[in-house]
Amino acid sequence: MKKVIFTVTLIMMMAFSGLCFAADGNDLNKEQKVAETFMEVFTKDQIPAYDVVSKDFSDTLKTNVNEKAYKDLSKQIKERYGNVKEVKFYNFQRFDQGDRVTYVAAFDKEQAVAIMLAFDKDKKLTDYVFTPLQVEEASK
């Protein structure tokens, strides 16, 4: 009897904790989709149309990143960091006023670059930043 009660309790605890972890899942999925569409500006040879990407921009970001700036972004990223080799999801942070999704990318000229994308409460992209990370070589 004790084994049955223990097993049922364990299953209920695991189910409840799974629900708690999945609470932000829908928001993360939406923001990751926006982020991945935005990052196609430097991961694809043919960049998505500005209208497709900017539909998920906040009004402020649409003002700061117009169609010309959007098209120039691809050139700027390639000049500064080179061609992208790999992009991996790194972190999701939830704040009162919005969220932040972080990816780490490897480029030809930089081993690791953090790409942080900020979202408001309406899941609109409000800002982005590319930050080179220093990677220390392991001692031999």
Side-chain angles (χ1 to χ4, degrees):
M1 185 67 178
K2 288 181 182 180
K3 289 180 184 179
V4 172
I5 292 173
F6 176 75
T7 304
V8 170
T9 304
L10 183 62
I11 291 171
M12 295 301 289
M13 286 174 38
M14 290 174 62
F16 181 71
S17 67
L19 288 173
C20 293
F21 284 123
D24 294 330
N26 289 335
D27 294 340
L28 174 59
N29 290 340
K30 168 102 170 91
E31 291 169 358
Q32 277 187 303
K33 185 172 173 80
V34 171
E36 288 168 3
T37 301
F38 175 77
M39 288 187 297
E40 286 180 6
V41 74
F42 60 87
T43 59
K44 304 276 184 180
D45 291 331
Q46 182 67 32
I47 65 173
Y50 178 74
D51 296 339
V52 172
V53 176
S54 66
K55 71 179 174 52
D56 295 310
F57 286 5
S58 68
D59 292 336
T60 306
L61 191 60
K62 281 182 187 175
T63 303
N64 295 336
V65 180
N66 58 24
E67 192 165 359
K68 182 185 180 326
Y70 169 72
K71 288 179 180 177
D72 289 343
L73 181 62
S74 177
K75 294 174 194 165
Q76 292 170 354
I77 296 297
K78 287 186 181 185
E79 284 174 8
R80 183 161 183 193
Y81 303 117
N83 292 318
V84 68
K85 293 179 181 178
E86 179 180 38
V87 178
K88 290 191 175 190
F89 174 76
Y90 178 69
N91 194 3
F92 172 67
Q93 293 174 301
R94 165 104 339 149
F95 299 103
D96 289 340
Q97 299 304 314
D99 304 330
R100 185 167 57 199
V101 178
T102 306
Y103 288 82
V104 175
F107 290 89
D108 291 336
K109 298 178 184 177
E110 287 286 343
Q111 263 187 308
V113 176
I115 305 166
M116 290 176 265
L117 302 123
F119 294 87
D120 62 14
K121 286 186 175 188
D122 298 325
K123 309 301 170 246
K124 296 287 185 181
L125 184 62
T126 59
D127 204 3
Y128 61 90
V129 65
F130 291 77
T131 307
L133 303 172
Q134 290 189 352
V135 179
E136 293 184 21
E137 296 292 326
S139 6
K140 294 181 179 181

